[in-house]
Amino acid sequence: MLKKLTIVLLSALMLGYVALSFWLPRFLILEHGGELKKTSPALFSCLTHKQNWLSWGVNWVAAVDNNQVLHGDQLQWHSFWFDDKVLSITEIVDGEYIQIKANDAISIELIIEDEEPYSWLQMRVDEDLGTIRINRPFAYWMTSKKQSTLEKTHKKILSTCQN
């Protein structure tokens, strides 16, 4: 009797997990923003200075220039959950944003909004969880840890660029 009850409960839990995996979206989007007492050009200058990135948990894998962040530079961002992936700077728009991608699965954007005399820095991570639905509940379960990591990294960036 106890064995049957255990099997029924485990089956119900697994069925619930599978059902949940079909309801969760494919894309996970995390964001965090903050205000700085700097102009947009000054903030952008901070964001494109390579030495600052080292204090944010970045190792440069391949870089065109030693001082300036440029399109095509490759990096590993060890403070994130995808620290084993090589990311590439795919787009830089002067004074507006920097986009970083790891293949088509992960995208990071550092977005600047000018609100003179202040600036707002938004950090956004888009993660494609893929077509295998069974992995999605676990990925969403880890969201609070991922959000916490994003917030800590964003605060490091704000602290560096505020000085």
Side-chain angles (χ1 to χ4, degrees), residues 96-128:
E96 292 185 27
Y97 70 91
I98 299 173
Q99 185 178 56
I100 307 156
K101 285 192 174 185
N103 51 49
D104 289 329
I106 296 170
S107 173
I108 304 169
E109 291 180 348
L110 298 168
I111 305 161
I112 300 169
E113 293 180 27
D114 198 5
E115 300 173 7
E116 294 225 8
Y118 301 102
S119 293
W120 180 265
L121 178 63
Q122 183 80 17
M123 189 169 191
R124 176 183 168 129
V125 177
D126 294 349
E127 186 175 4
D128 182 350

Side-chain angles (χ1 to χ4, degrees), residues 13-109:
L13 281 172
M14 293 199 42
L15 182 63
Y17 184 88
V18 170
L20 179 63
S21 69
F22 280 91
W23 287 322
L24 293 173
R26 179 176 174 169
F27 296 94
L28 177 64
I29 300 170
L30 302 171
E31 295 179 308
H32 194 261
E35 188 176 74
L36 285 109
K37 295 178 183 174
K38 286 211 172 210
T39 63
S40 178
L43 176 56
F44 189 76
S45 176
C46 175
L47 292 176
T48 56
H49 187 68
K50 271 206 176 118
Q51 289 298 343
N52 293 338
W53 289 63
L54 297 174
S55 66
W56 306 336
V58 167
N59 287 339
W60 293 101
V61 176
V64 178
D65 185 318
N66 288 333
N67 298 319
Q68 182 96 10
V69 174
L70 298 172
H71 182 275
D73 286 350
Q74 293 183 332
L75 57 115
Q76 286 183 304
W77 207 324
H78 295 292
S79 59
F80 282 106
W81 56 94
F82 43 81
D83 62 353
D84 59 332
K85 296 195 181 326
V86 175
L87 306 160
S88 296
I89 307 287
T90 55
E91 193 170 356
I92 298 176
V93 176
D94 193 18
E96 292 185 27
Y97 70 91
I98 299 173
Q99 185 178 56
I100 307 156
K101 285 192 174 185
N103 51 49
D104 289 329
I106 296 170
S107 173
I108 304 169
E109 291 180 348

Side-chain angles (χ1 to χ4, degrees), residues 8-25 129 132-142:
V8 168
L9 285 173
L10 286 176
S11 298
L13 281 172
M14 293 199 42
L15 182 63
Y17 184 88
V18 170
L20 179 63
S21 69
F22 280 91
W23 287 322
L24 293 173
L129 301 176
I132 302 172
R133 295 178 178 275
I134 204 77
N135 296 333
R136 293 182 193 169
F138 181 73
Y140 274 89
W141 179 66
M142 294 296 293

